[in-house]
Amino acid sequence: MKWNAYFLNYRLASPLHIGDLALGNVQKTMFYIPGKTLWGAATAMLTYGHFHSPSSQDYQAVGEYVRGAVRFGYFFLEDVNDRYFPVLTPEGLRYGAKMKLTKEEMENLFL
C-alpha cells in the first residue's frame, strides 16, 4: 500500500491545553499534540459533517475508517525562528532544530 505524507501547519485561535502531570492545582501541559488527539478530532469532525444526528455507532465506524486510512504524527510548536520538536543532544534532551532549548527554557518561552 502506498502512503503520502502531508505536513500541516495550524495556527491556534485560542490557548490549548493538552494534559500532562498535575502538581496540586497546577495543570502542566505537553509541548506537543499527540497523534491520538488529532485522530479523535478528525473522527469527530468527519462524523459530525457526514451524519445529521450521529450515534455512538456512527462515531465508532468513522473512527475505524480514519484509523485505517490516516496516520497522525505528533504536532510540535513552531514559530518564525524554529520548529520545537525534541532533539537528543550530548547535553540531554533539547527542543528545537536550531535553538536547542532546555525544558525550562521551553516552559518560559511558551507556557
Side-chain angles (χ1 to χ4, degrees), residues 39-67:
W39 166 81
T43 297
M45 184 183 69
L46 290 170
T47 305
Y48 183 73
H50 188 67
F51 296 96
H52 177 67
S53 181
S55 67
S56 61
Q57 290 84 8
D58 296 332
Y59 281 101
Q60 186 173 2
V62 172
E64 291 301 320
Y65 173 78
V66 172
R67 182 173 286 131

Side-chain angles (χ1 to χ4, degrees), residues 35-97:
K36 187 172 185 175
T37 302
L38 297 168
W39 166 81
T43 297
M45 184 183 69
L46 290 170
T47 305
Y48 183 73
H50 188 67
F51 296 96
H52 177 67
S53 181
S55 67
S56 61
Q57 290 84 8
D58 296 332
Y59 281 101
Q60 186 173 2
V62 172
E64 291 301 320
Y65 173 78
V66 172
R67 182 173 286 131
V70 180
R71 295 289 183 255
F72 292 100
Y74 289 0
F75 272 41
F76 294 98
L77 296 169
E78 178 179 304
D79 65 12
V80 296
N81 298 316
D82 205 351
R83 290 183 178 158
Y84 298 95
F85 50 83
V87 177
L88 188 57
T89 68
E91 297 83 32
L93 189 62
R94 298 289 190 260
Y95 295 89

Side-chain angles (χ1 to χ4, degrees), residues 8-43:
L8 306 173
N9 285 331
Y10 288 100
R11 182 180 307 252
L12 287 176
S14 64
L16 175 67
H17 170 74
I18 301 291
D20 195 6
L21 299 173
L23 302 171
N25 290 335
V26 177
Q27 299 291 322
K28 293 190 74 171
T29 192
M30 297 180 185
F31 297 143
Y32 58 90
I33 302 173
K36 187 172 185 175
T37 302
L38 297 168
W39 166 81
T43 297

